[in-house]
Amino acid sequence: MKNVGIISLGCPKNTIDSEKMLAILKEKGYNIVNDEHKADILIINTCGFIEDAKRESIEYIIEMGKLKNRRLKYLIATGCLSERYNKELLKELPELDAVIGTGDFPKIAEVIEEIEKGKTVLEYGHANLLNDEGIQRILTTPNYYAYLKIAEGCSNACSFCIIPKIRGRYRSRKMEDILREAEELVKKGAKELILIAQDTTKYGIDVYKKFMLPQLLKGISKIDGLKWIRLLYAYPDSVTEELVEEIKNNEKIVKYIDIPLQHSHDEVLKRMNRNTNRQKIEKVISRLRSIPNMVIRTTFMVGFPGETEEEFEDLKQFIKEKRFERVGVFTYSREEGTKSYYMKPQIKKSVKIERQQELMEIQKEISYQHNLSKVGKQLEVLIEGFEDGIYYGRSYMDAPEIDGVVYVKSNKKLKAGDFVVATITDAYEYDLVGEY
């Protein structure tokens, strides 16, 4: 029995593809290992979204390639970088035995059979396939939470983004298939389901000819044993009144939304081809703020081609004014194959980094003030672990891996997956401390 390992890079959508590949290989009789040093076959599920992600993926391939002098026999690259730079990867990285694109990962077992015959395999070009039905998953997240992909690809055509070319056009899954998978995940122990897609708020527009996220949320919330539903990657132009009402009134939906705004200035948004403007963004934020205790996470991009000091200043004031609870700031990455690649003037790297740091300093203080407001109050916390004599976990305000944590002091014996109500006693810039 051969040992197979997988290293999954990038976003949760990649995580799900990795979990499906593991299930396919286990069914074929392969032994799954978590240690690359014990693997006979190693898969690196790559990210190819921006420059830093591409670099990380390539560095992993080179580093893991060194293991081929020891136990490792075959090294395979899958995912977004493989779809985007298919032939180039095989040519430039001879340690690779196979390259598989985003739509071809279900062929993983057949590809391994081919490379065991001494062939070098290249499979790509099917990014528009929808490969989510009929394939089981071996969860790589802790069993008390799981990601649930409701759609694949994107049709938004933002001028800076390569995703439509490497993940294909927007394809919603059928509601009955999503509900079936959600029930299976809860049966496996998931107490929190985190809904993901490249754009969750457009769910259903292609299949049902209207936005169906509120109806999907209603259906998922009926599953017994499910505690939290979390919504990520909600685009502002399709946040409807109906969706806001569903979030507000559905007790299982945590009052948290990840809504990537990218910028505040109309001219920058226009160059980004964001299909929104400042007025619409203000309206969406106002709608969301009508939900009591709502936490808004957003991301902004600095250094987009042509971003002037005035446009950056507008963004700075916008962040100060809106006081989002969670903010990520990214520097613009110039990507081949995107419209913005050819835009002028391109902003110097040093200026982009300076602007990023300036915004994060502003946000750090906003985050700290928000956390201070929680001291003395009670928060429900999902316990995730125990370290250095203290438990840690997440409140409804925190998505895994991207937000802060709540440290919980307790003399009681707790375990990962427990929900406890902690009294908050202290606050840091991004984390909280409580007692139970």
Side-chain angles (χ1 to χ4, degrees):
M1 187 186 291
K2 293 186 177 67
N3 289 350
V4 177
I6 193 162
I7 295 170
S8 194
L9 305 174
C11 67
K13 294 180 285 294
N14 246 22
T15 300
I16 291 175
D17 292 347
S18 295
E19 292 173 346
K20 287 176 179 292
M21 282 191 276
L22 289 175
I24 289 167
L25 292 171
K26 186 174 183 182
E27 196 176 316
K28 291 287 184 180
Y30 292 93
N31 185 47
I32 309 301
V33 294
N34 290 326
D35 184 351
E36 60 265 25
H37 297 281
K38 294 178 181 176
D40 302 301
I41 303 155
L42 190 59
I43 302 160
I44 301 178
N45 198 4
T46 63
C47 180
F49 181 44
I50 57 174
E51 191 60 41
D52 288 348
K54 290 188 287 186
R55 191 181 303 114
E56 181 188 34
S57 294
I58 290 166
E59 286 171 358
Y60 261 101
I61 291 168
I62 293 169
E63 193 61 31
M64 293 303 108
K66 295 173 184 174
L67 297 179
K68 292 183 88 171
N69 299 327
R70 303 170 202 169
R71 173 168 184 154
L72 186 67
K73 292 183 179 66
Y74 305 111
L75 185 63
I76 300 168
T78 63
C80 291
L81 194 75
S82 298
E83 184 68 38
R84 190 175 177 187
Y85 298 108
N86 37 77
K87 297 186 186 81
E88 294 94 321
L89 285 180
L90 275 185
K91 183 181 176 184
E92 301 295 331
L93 297 168
E95 48 268 81
L96 286 174
D97 299 288
V99 170
I100 307 174
T102 54
D104 294 276
F105 74 82
K107 300 175 186 172
I108 185 66
E110 292 92 325
V111 168
I112 290 174
E113 287 173 16
E114 289 297 301
I115 62 177
E116 286 179 325
K117 294 173 186 173
K119 297 178 183 177
T120 301
V121 181
L122 179 60
E123 292 278 358
Y124 74 99
H126 300 97
N128 278 313
L129 292 176
L130 188 57
N131 288 316
D132 290 284
E133 313 318 333
I135 305 176
Q136 293 299 309
R137 291 164 59 186
I138 293 177
L139 294 184
T140 55
T141 54
N143 71 335
Y144 50 82
Y145 79 84
Y147 294 104
L148 181 61
K149 184 160 49 171
I150 65 173
E152 183 57 275
C154 188
S155 300
N156 284 335
C158 298
S159 64
F160 56 82
C161 185
I162 198 70
I163 290 295
K165 292 187 178 179
I166 52 180
R167 284 276 177 181
R169 66 180 183 278
Y170 194 81
R171 290 101 67 206
S172 301
R173 297 176 62 192
K174 289 181 181 176
M175 196 177 295
E176 58 266 31
D177 293 327
I178 298 171
L179 292 174
R180 191 181 305 117
E181 184 179 5
E183 286 182 9
E184 288 172 4
L185 291 169
V186 173
K187 281 177 186 172
K188 288 178 181 176
K191 298 175 182 178
E192 177 184 17
L193 291 179
I194 304 168
L195 272 58
I196 59 168
Q198 202 61 39
D199 179 351
T200 51
T201 39
K202 283 193 177 63
Y203 172 73
I205 194 66
D206 53 329
V207 175
Y208 303 107
K209 308 307 174 192
K210 62 176 182 174
F211 298 139
M212 291 289 283
L213 185 56
Q215 287 82 354
L216 178 64
L217 289 166
K218 273 191 181 78
I220 293 172
S221 69
K222 291 174 183 173
I223 299 172
D224 289 337
L226 178 61
K227 175 86 171 169
W228 283 353
I229 303 169
R230 188 179 299 277
L231 196 56
L232 300 189
Y233 317 132
Y235 272 54
D237 56 305
S238 37
V239 174
T240 63
E241 288 281 8
E242 188 182 8
L243 176 60
V244 171
E245 286 302 305
E246 187 60 31
I247 295 170
K248 183 188 287 187
N249 298 319
N250 192 323
E251 290 183 3
K252 287 193 179 181
I253 303 172
V254 294
K255 309 315 172 201
Y256 171 110
I257 195 166
D258 177 303
I259 181 165
L261 297 175
Q262 305 302 357
H263 215 280
S264 61
H265 197 282
D266 281 348
E267 287 303 312
V268 181
L269 291 166
K270 192 175 176 181
R271 295 199 299 276
M272 287 179 168
N273 198 32
R274 284 293 287 175
N275 196 33
T276 191
N277 57 38
R278 175 67 169 265
Q279 188 178 5
K280 289 179 182 175
I281 287 171
E282 298 262 9
K283 192 174 180 182
V284 167
I285 293 168
S286 179
R287 278 177 180 170
L288 291 169
R289 289 297 186 203
S290 73
I291 302 171
N293 302 312
M294 188 67 182
V295 167
I296 301 176
R297 159 169 273 282
T298 189
T299 49
F300 294 109
M301 183 185 294
V302 292
F304 189 78
E307 184 187 49
T308 64
E309 284 292 342
E310 180 191 356
E311 289 164 348
F312 174 65
E313 189 65 30
D314 183 85
L315 177 56
K316 199 160 70 172
Q317 294 307 315
F318 181 74
I319 290 173
K320 287 179 179 178
E321 178 190 325
K322 297 306 174 189
R323 303 189 69 80
F324 300 103
E325 289 79 7
R326 308 281 186 262
V327 168
V329 181
F330 300 91
T331 57
Y332 167 74
S333 179
R334 190 182 184 193
E335 298 298 322
E336 315 97 321
T338 64
K339 289 180 181 177
S340 64
Y341 184 84
Y342 303 99
M343 289 181 181
K344 294 177 182 179
Q346 295 284 330
I347 308 297
K348 285 182 183 177
K349 185 177 180 180
S350 59
V351 173
K352 289 191 278 190
I353 291 170
E354 194 178 301
R355 289 177 179 178
Q356 179 190 39
Q357 290 172 344
E358 195 172 342
L359 291 188
M360 286 313 298
E361 280 301 312
I362 292 167
Q363 181 57 32
K364 190 191 288 184
E365 181 60 27
I366 292 170
S367 177
Y368 180 53
Q369 292 300 325
H370 173 257
N371 279 354
L372 274 179
S373 73
K374 300 299 175 187
V375 174
K377 295 180 180 176
Q378 291 188 321
L379 272 181
E380 191 169 33
V381 179
L382 170 56
I383 298 297
E384 297 202 291
F386 184 78
E387 199 173 87
D388 298 328
I390 194 166
Y391 292 98
Y392 61 89
R394 293 182 289 112
S395 73
Y396 81 93
M397 303 185 294
D398 309 301
E401 298 180 11
I402 54 173
D403 293 321
V405 297
V406 183
Y407 295 100
V408 179
K409 298 172 184 175
S410 179
N411 294 323
K412 297 176 182 176
K413 186 75 174 172
L414 305 175
K415 64 181 187 299
D418 284 349
F419 281 89
V420 301
V421 177
T423 302
I424 303 304
T425 57
D426 204 358
Y428 299 106
E429 286 157 348
Y430 299 112
D431 303 323
L432 293 167
V433 180
E435 292 179 352
Y436 171 70

